Amino acid sequence: MTLFTRRGLLKTAALAGIGGVGIPAMGRLGGWAAAAPEPMVLQTAKIQTKLMDGGLTRDVLTYGNAGMPPVLRMKKGEPFAARLVNAIDDPTTIHWHGIRVPNKMDGVPFLVQPYVYTGDHFDYVFTPPDAGTFWYHPHCNTLEQMGHGLTGVIVVENPGDPKFDAEFVLNLRDWRLGDDAQFIDQFRPRDAARTGTYGTVRTANWLDQPQYDAPAGGLVRLRVAITDVTRIYAFRVDGAEATVMALDGNPVPERFSPDALLLGPGQRMELAIRMPDDEGAIVSLRDVRGTKPKILANLRATGGSLKRDVRDIAPLEANPVKEVDLTAAQHISLALSATAENVPSDGICGSLGYSFWAINKVPWPGDTPDPTAPLAELKLGKSYVIDMENLTPQSHPMHLHGMSFKVLSSSTRQVQPLISDTYLIQPNEKVQLGFVADNPGDWLLHCHIIEHQKSGMTSYVRVV
């Protein structure tokens, strides 16, 4: 594995003749940078903005200079470039969650790239192979940076997709704010050792119950990304017919109603909604989990009815994910457990100072300069099945970087053979996830409840 140090970073920057390490230097070696488009600039910033009654919240983090990070739109099979410019007082990176990028573009410090210091930049260039809904976020000091706002949604468009009368994108996240609208501690140790620390203010697109207008009797595509650091949702749609078309960037094999559909941090869904015919009618997306259900966002029917039929929506085109060969697949055992074996040292990308969780009995925060050995070393092009068992009383949204897997079976429920990158495993559940190791490099596998990730429930696989 290549480990990056400050000395190595400066040496590489000097050789490249740039202020920060970027793909213009590395890309020439690979022969693909010359064809890259002009990069979109994503500059980190610290702002003040209104998130709740009580005044402006200070120290909110975003990309840009005002409001929520932009929804990035890419096209399937076409090159995309972004330049991360770090203007906050904290090293950072960008991870392109769910997109099967080249390993050097994955944004994990120490494992695949240098962290980006204040005043430095890093150029990301890749071609998204899959259409769907994805998102982007830092992989450095994640609890603080994501908790303060650095989470944005990605839409990868496919020109062959069915046509809708309207499309809306929702970025769902909590904020840990006090009564004065200012940030409070991002976590409590007793909660980090259980479900994680919930936020106090819940938003969609940084708003409380936003409402959007959609054509009466029309067909709406609603893209939803859970960019929260903790909360697991149970989704329901009231006031209209709605079906789940895609989960985690991939079409579902069989569409279904989102009747208390459970999804966790890092996961995404796409809904097809047939708006009511009556002007002014309201359609609500709700979270019905727990003791405090909440309306997340509303759609209001406007104008005369278009009288569309949900059956007009053609199937989404499948993404080009290689089919796992179950007859030749090698099995990888993976046990999720609690631990109290050690206390992690503080790292430049932040540490919670606790070790509560482990994968195969090894706790690793995932951002130290001396990471553990890989969970498994995989051969490029070979099929594998992860036999994952949750030995804890908590649910864990387990995310695999760089590759997509198929859900094969569960010990507790019937499952569709979904293609995904994040699986919400329930307490005492055993699940089988099959995939082809088709992307070389070191790829993280971790819980996306960030307190769980940062206190040990992290590992990685190596594809060679």
Side-chain angles (χ1 to χ4, degrees), residues 95 97 135 137-147 151 186-187 192 195-197 226-231 265-266 349-352 354 356-357 364-365 367 396-397 399 401 446-458:
H95 169 59
H97 185 113
W135 64 297
H137 63 82
H139 234 287
C140 189
N141 202 358
T142 44
L143 187 61
E144 186 79 12
Q145 292 184 17
M146 291 172 60
T151 62
Q186 287 297 294
F187 81 101
T195 58
T197 307
I226 303 173
T227 75
D228 192 56
V229 298
T230 303
R231 186 174 298 278
C349 277
S351 167
L352 301 192
Y354 299 90
F356 296 129
W357 304 97
W364 178 45
D367 59 9
H396 302 284
H399 172 52
H401 287 215
H446 65 89
C447 179
H448 229 286
I449 292 175
I450 301 301
E451 290 157 272
H452 294 179
Q453 174 202 343
K454 298 290 287 183
S455 58
M457 194 168 280
T458 303

Side-chain angles (χ1 to χ4, degrees), residues 95-116:
H95 169 59
W96 311 92
H97 185 113
I99 299 181
R100 297 184 291 147
V101 298
N103 197 228
K104 290 183 182 295
M105 300 289 99
D106 197 42
V108 180
F110 300 113
L111 197 65
V112 303
Q113 75 157 87
Y115 33 72
V116 182

